[in-house]
Amino acid sequence: MKKAFKIFGLLFSIIMVVGILAGCGSASKAQLKVYNWGDYIDETVIDEFEKKYNIDVIYDTFATNEEMYVKIKGGGADYDVAIPSDYMIERMIKEGMLEKIDFSNVPNYKYIDERFKNLPYDPNNEYSVPYMWGTVGILYNKKMVKEPVDSWKILWDEKYKKQIFMLDSSRDSIGVALKMLGYSLNTRNMDELEQAKEALIRQKPLVLSYVSDEVKNAMISGQAALAVVWSGDAVYTKRENPDLEYAIPKEGSNLWVDAMVILKGTKNKKVAEQFINFMCEPEIAYRNTTYIGYSTPHTEARKMLPPEILNDRTAYPTDEDLKNCEVFEALSDVIKEYDRVWTEVKAAR
């Protein structure tokens, strides 16, 4: 019995030591919460970051800037890093929702192309690190659309009734209507905004559906002739279905930048900066841009891309393609009017 007691005691001690060590390991492991667009990262990159730095990453996605903003503003989430678009970053800075980044902890920021620094949404480069950029345009099926696609007006052509996908995004869809009418997509003119509303309501019977990420598979499978998409989705869908092509309408469009930011009140600021720096490593930036198909602002990642991608004007348009394009402004003073317009469009029958 005494010998058995000694063996039991030894086993008990080993179990306790292992348990304590395991507990210590769990307690010391940092955690990072990341909030990003759907289908917007090579997820093996997250696994690699977790293993390299012994950090748990909780990764959630959103479909629109507005959805992301409402969730964070409402206090229903405690994310450390998010990846909104330019105009939303400007709004979040003004509302004190972002932390300034300590760029001494992000040395890979040196790889970001100078063209994507000092932009109006973050003029002093204090709060954000550009992740991807692109345009909004029309993705069309060449077997279903025989005429030239060079104007937003084609989305109001009754010939394509129930063959059109629009983005379920207020700024993007209102922006399309404003550009179609010849106005700025940052207008503060209420008469122009009302005209855009009426145009979208008039178009509504032609629209098959208002969509987000699901537009990619729908267009690949030939469910519609025309769709308003972000350029990165166009790159991906063209790769999967060669009948698809992309055009930036002559009236101009939205030139956008999505960037990594750190949310106010984060308890893991250094880990957040470590993650952003990791995302800017040349090999990681290259993997992300090739996986999701969006255009990179990273100089070294771009050098690794094959000529067929660099020469694709969907991903890397010419200056002529972009001459009438605009970057979204935050429009905080009139954003309620934009929200009202979108609500009335969606409610219209």
Side-chain angles (χ1 to χ4, degrees):
M1 288 293 291
K2 194 173 182 179
K3 185 178 180 182
F5 178 79
K6 282 185 176 178
I7 292 173
F8 174 77
L10 180 60
L11 287 172
F12 180 78
S13 299
I14 292 172
I15 290 169
M16 288 295 290
V17 169
V18 170
I20 290 169
L21 289 175
C24 288
S26 176
S28 64
K29 198 169 187 178
Q31 187 181 79
L32 185 75
K33 295 183 178 179
V34 179
Y35 202 24
N36 192 6
W37 297 82
D39 296 332
Y40 211 37
I41 195 170
D42 177 346
E43 293 201 16
T44 65
V45 162
I46 297 174
D47 297 336
E48 192 167 319
F49 177 77
E50 288 180 315
K51 290 176 184 172
K52 184 172 182 178
Y53 295 104
N54 192 35
I55 293 169
D56 280 334
V57 175
I58 296 174
Y59 185 82
D60 291 332
T61 63
F62 56 85
T64 67
N65 280 297
E66 287 68 28
E67 175 189 334
M68 182 271 320
Y69 171 83
V70 167
K71 187 169 183 179
I72 293 173
K73 186 73 173 180
D78 58 347
Y79 295 105
D80 301 296
V81 174
I83 309 183
S85 303
D86 35 41
Y87 73 96
M88 189 56 74
I89 293 171
E90 182 182 352
R91 181 177 184 180
M92 295 171 83
I93 291 171
K94 288 178 178 175
E95 295 182 15
M97 295 172 65
L98 303 182
E99 296 275 356
K100 286 187 178 180
I101 296 173
D102 181 350
F103 281 87
S104 66
N105 293 325
V106 190
N108 289 329
Y109 184 64
K110 65 186 177 186
Y111 295 125
I112 299 300
D113 192 322
E114 292 298 320
R115 292 184 301 152
F116 298 97
K117 295 178 180 176
N118 303 108
L119 295 176
Y121 64 89
D122 186 9
N124 299 317
N125 305 311
E126 296 174 296
Y127 294 92
S128 62
V129 174
Y131 176 59
M132 297 288 165
W133 70 278
T135 59
V136 173
I138 301 174
L139 182 70
Y140 61 98
N141 189 311
K142 292 179 285 187
K143 287 188 172 179
M144 301 179 188
V145 182
K146 299 300 182 184
E147 65 206 273
V149 179
D150 61 359
S151 169
W152 291 115
K153 291 179 181 175
I154 198 170
L155 301 176
W156 274 260
D157 189 333
E158 294 198 357
K159 181 168 56 179
Y160 298 107
K161 185 175 183 179
K162 296 301 179 187
Q163 295 185 63
I164 299 169
F165 284 122
M166 290 290 286
L167 282 173
D168 190 7
S169 165
S170 58
R171 286 301 301 271
D172 288 301
S173 287
I174 294 172
V176 165
L178 286 168
K179 278 296 188 185
M180 186 273 293
L181 293 165
Y183 303 135
S184 166
L185 44 72
N186 292 310
T187 188
R188 287 178 165 83
N189 183 309
M190 291 302 110
D191 179 57
E192 293 175 359
L193 197 54
E194 284 300 309
Q195 290 180 49
K197 182 188 79 175
E198 293 303 322
L200 288 169
I201 291 174
R202 190 169 66 251
Q203 181 210 30
K204 199 169 179 182
L206 312 182
V207 175
L208 177 59
S209 182
Y210 295 89
V211 293
S212 185
D213 290 330
E214 63 270 33
V215 70
K216 290 180 284 187
N217 288 335
M219 289 300 290
I220 290 169
S221 61
Q223 292 180 32
L226 300 149
V228 177
V229 300
W230 294 291
S231 53
D233 288 349
V235 171
Y236 171 77
T237 52
K238 284 172 57 178
R239 197 162 54 203
E240 299 297 314
N241 183 346
D243 293 332
L244 298 175
E245 191 49 85
Y246 177 80
I248 301 172
K250 60 188 176 188
E251 297 94 343
S253 183
N254 173 220
L255 172 64
W256 53 263
V257 178
D258 292 340
M260 296 175 280
V261 299
I262 298 176
L263 297 166
K264 196 76 173 180
T266 177
K267 297 175 183 174
N268 304 302
K269 187 163 183 284
K270 285 194 175 179
V271 176
E273 289 164 347
Q274 193 173 33
F275 177 78
I276 292 172
N277 190 56
F278 177 77
M279 293 281 275
C280 292
E281 288 184 8
E283 177 65 21
I284 298 301
Y286 168 76
R287 282 165 54 187
N288 279 328
T289 190
T290 53
Y291 182 83
I292 64 177
Y294 279 74
S295 311
T296 180
H298 195 288
T299 56
E300 298 306 302
R302 182 167 173 162
K303 289 176 184 174
M304 299 181 203
L305 293 172
E308 59 267 28
I309 292 180
L310 291 174
N311 295 328
D312 183 352
R313 289 165 62 178
T314 300
Y316 295 95
T318 65
D319 290 344
E320 179 67 17
D321 296 329
L322 299 175
K323 68 178 182 180
N324 292 322
C325 291
E326 299 176 82
V327 176
F328 276 141
E329 297 172 8
L331 301 180
S332 300
D333 53 326
V334 292
I335 196 62
K336 287 184 179 178
E337 292 300 311
Y338 276 73
D339 292 342
R340 176 188 59 77
V341 163
W342 187 238
T343 299
E344 291 177 10
V345 169
K346 295 297 289 289
R349 294 181 181 277

